[in-house]
Structure formats: structure tokens, C-alpha cells
Amino acid sequence: MTRRSTSPSAGSRRAVIVAVVACVVGHAGSSSAASGETESVHLHFTREERLAGSCPGAERFTKALRAQRPRLVLAPEDTPARTFDVHVRRVGREIAGELVIVELDGTTSRRSMQAPDCPSLVTALAVITAIAMDEPPPSVQTDDARAPGVPAIEPLSEPPSPAPEPVRSDAQDASIAPATPILAPDRSFLVAGIGTEVVLGSLPRAAMGYRGYVEWQRLHGRVAFGARLSLAFARAGLPETRKFDVIVQTWTARGEGCIARELFRTMTLEACLGASFGAYHSFNTNVPDARDDVRPWLTLDAGTRLRWHPGASPFFAEVHGAIGYVVRSYAIVADDGSNAKYEAPRGIGALGFGVGRSFDLP
């Protein structure tokens, strides 16, 4: 049976968590002192990847747990022992934590809580885990087995509600299979970035261009689908002219639909299809009354990018490449009598590097 405590504000919720921690710390000390034996346990701590930048990790959790239970002993993975799995993830604008306890006979119990910030939640979860380790298994836990003067501690979980919540579940159900890691819920996020790229084909010679973009993605497990809008500029002169007088520049916007797949914990691979449209501008700088042409520019594009999030942070670096088909190409001719000219081929490309940041949406 689980029990929910609600609060009108983030400040009052922190106060509730602090009160819970203060209450159970005293009980943890009493139980630990009364226990003459040290139990070896399996301990696992996981958190959502996108909480890595703001949420303490397994090392901080274990340190907080050892502060409450100094005689903590971790059992080897291939030996039988009780298992304590702690999971932390975002639910809306708050952080949810769940402790899953797997007994030696396979029975499972769960204890859940929420907090407006992750450090407070991890500290409270460490105290709750210490209390759970000191409690005997459900099969031997009776009112007579409690030490005199020690009050009964009910699981810090939530009671069943008319509308069941997938984040929480009832405690101590013998029919529940052993715990497994909780999949991250579907969520959306925005990505913003800038970069530079070598432009190949659309200009009279290879030149560096610049690109900035925004992107929306919807995550489903380890796969994300999304849309991307980028703005780019590139410029180069026409070679083989007498005065190097012809300049060509492009101003383009590219819309793309993308799919991304997580390769490793800190690396993703993304593929996109889309189209670029904008202006193809050519002009002479040293010839009086020379032509100054601004023409529509349209290409069909396919691209890919590899992103690396250092330490699973929201910031990332990426390498990207794209190829495009030019729907209509234009001939650029110098007006200085050199007979220099250029016409963009049907196939063009770009290869570049960029940096960016992702932002979770509520």
C-alpha cells in the first residue's frame, strides 16, 4: 500500500522531504545499532540520461547511503542477496524517485516519492534505502519482531488512486516479477546549435560557410523523431578572372525531417531528409555597370550527423555532412574579358563541425 503527500509549493515540498529525512534518520540509527549482523546486498542506481547535468550520480548516492549505514557491504553480482534498485527520472516539472526491493524469494516491493529538485530527492532516497535495508523481509516481519520502543515505519509510497499512475505501484505484491530498469518516458526537447562547414559545388570554389539551427525532437526510448530548421551563408570568388572580380554568395534556409538513434550512452547518430531554398547572388566588384543577379536557389538534401554529449550533458559537439541535388543551376560569367565562368553542378555537398545544447520541454 502506498501513501502520497501533496504540497502546494516547491518550498513546502522541500520542507516535507527534510522532515521525512530527519524522522527516518533517527530510526535508521536505532535499527542499525540493534542489528548484530551485516547483510550483503546488491545495489543499483540509475537516472535518466538528461538529468546527468543537474542530478547527483551513483557515487553521490552511495556516499549518502554509507553516511546512514556505515557497515554497508555490497554482494558480488553472482551471489544470492537482496537487491535494492533506485531509479530517478523527470515527471513533468518535478523529479520522481523509486526504490525497488527484490527479496531472495523474488517478491518485490516499491517505495516512491517526488521532489522539485534532484539533490534533495537523492538524499531522501538514500535514507529510505538505509531504512529498508534494516527492515526484515516481509515473510518474517511481524509486530512482535520489532524492537521495543521502535515505531512501525510504513513504506514511503503512495496509496492507490482512482486513476492509476504508471510511475507508482503498490508495495509488496508477491506476483510481481523481479525488478528491471525503468524505461525513460516519452518526452520532447529543443536543440539549438551553430557550426561551420566546407561548401562543395554550389560556389565557384570550395569555401567555408556558416550555419545556425533549431531543432525539435520527440524521444521514444532510444529513438527520436523531429524537425530541423537551419539558416546558412557562404561566399566565394570566381577564379581565373583578370581582376578576381566576380563574387558568388548564397543565403539559404533548410527544412528537414530527422530520425536519431542512441549508439552509446553519450553518442547519437542522426539522419535527415529535406530541402534548401533561398537566394543565389552573383555580382562584379571591379567592372562598372556589371550585372548584379539575385536568383532563386532550391536543392533537395540528405544529411547525417554524429553527436557527442560529454559526460551525458545537455551540451554536445557534432560532425555533419550533407549532399544535395540542385533543381536549377545558373551560369556565372566574368565581365572583364577573361571568359571565366562557372555553373554549379547538379550534385553538391557540405562537411562541417558544430556545437549546441538541448533543452527539455515540460
Side-chain angles (χ1 to χ4, degrees):
M1 182 173 180
T2 55
R3 178 166 302 171
R4 167 181 291 175
S5 56
T6 59
S7 58
S9 66
S12 59
R13 182 167 298 203
R14 286 195 189 91
V16 171
I17 292 176
V18 171
V20 170
V21 172
C23 176
V24 295
V25 162
H27 176 66
S30 301
S31 297
S32 298
S35 177
E37 299 181 358
T38 301
E39 176 191 15
S40 298
V41 299
H42 296 307
L43 180 66
H44 304 122
F45 178 89
T46 59
R47 64 185 174 189
E48 281 189 343
E49 178 178 341
R50 299 193 177 276
L51 291 175
S54 59
C55 190
E59 182 178 354
R60 172 92 170 266
F61 171 79
T62 304
K63 183 178 180 180
L65 178 59
R66 288 187 183 277
Q68 305 299 328
R69 202 171 194 269
R71 299 174 63 186
L72 174 68
V73 177
L74 301 181
E77 289 297 329
D78 57 350
T79 59
R82 287 203 295 168
T83 300
F84 295 81
D85 286 336
V86 177
H87 311 284
V88 178
R89 58 180 176 174
R90 180 179 294 280
V91 178
R93 295 184 178 275
E94 296 198 337
I95 310 298
E98 183 176 50
L99 168 64
V100 181
I101 307 169
V102 184
E103 306 293 343
L104 290 174
D105 61 359
T107 59
T108 303
S109 61
R110 304 173 190 268
R111 304 179 183 187
S112 304
M113 65 187 311
Q114 290 187 352
D117 64 275
C118 205
S120 299
L121 179 67
V122 170
T123 300
L125 286 171
V127 177
I128 293 171
T129 303
I131 292 296
M133 288 180 177
D134 290 334
E135 292 178 352
S139 58
V140 300
Q141 185 176 5
T142 63
D143 292 338
D144 296 336
R146 291 195 300 268
V150 176
I153 302 297
E154 297 183 4
L156 296 177
S157 306
E158 299 181 292
S161 58
E165 299 183 53
V167 179
R168 313 172 191 277
S169 58
D170 295 336
Q172 299 183 350
D173 185 350
S175 65
I176 300 178
T180 56
I182 298 176
L183 294 178
D186 291 354
R187 63 183 182 275
S188 299
F189 53 94
L190 289 176
V191 178
I194 57 174
T196 183
E197 58 191 15
V198 180
V199 180
L200 306 170
S202 56
L203 301 177
R205 58 186 177 87
M208 296 303 298
Y210 307 94
R211 186 176 298 274
Y213 64 87
V214 293
E215 184 175 334
W216 171 87
Q217 289 191 359
R218 176 71 175 174
L219 185 64
H220 301 271
R222 294 192 173 191
V223 178
F225 303 89
R228 172 186 175 104
L229 176 65
S230 60
L231 303 176
F233 169 77
R235 174 174 176 162
L238 177 62
E240 301 178 0
T241 61
R242 292 178 179 177
K243 298 180 180 179
F244 202 71
D245 59 334
V246 178
I247 302 296
V248 179
Q249 57 190 15
T250 56
W251 304 81
T252 58
R254 179 183 297 168
E256 300 169 277
C258 303
I259 181 172
R261 177 68 164 84
E262 179 183 308
L263 298 181
F264 306 101
R265 175 175 172 80
T266 61
M267 192 168 293
T268 58
L269 180 65
E270 185 171 342
C272 299
L273 292 175
S276 296
F277 54 93
Y280 194 76
H281 182 200
S282 63
F283 57 94
N284 288 73
T285 59
N286 296 320
V287 178
D289 301 323
R291 295 180 60 185
D292 190 340
D293 294 329
V294 179
R295 302 162 181 171
W297 181 253
L298 176 63
T299 65
L300 304 179
D301 308 293
T304 184
R305 58 189 53 89
L306 184 66
R307 285 180 177 163
W308 172 56
H309 297 255
S313 75
F315 295 94
F316 62 84
E318 68 175 18
V319 292
H320 59 268
I323 57 174
Y325 171 76
V326 178
V327 176
R328 182 176 179 181
S329 182
Y330 303 102
I332 305 302
V333 180
D335 292 339
D336 60 358
S338 64
N339 295 322
K341 64 180 180 178
Y342 180 75
E343 183 173 359
R346 291 296 184 179
I348 60 175
L351 181 64
F353 169 82
V355 293
R357 191 189 194 284
S358 60
F359 302 86
D360 282 339
L361 294 177

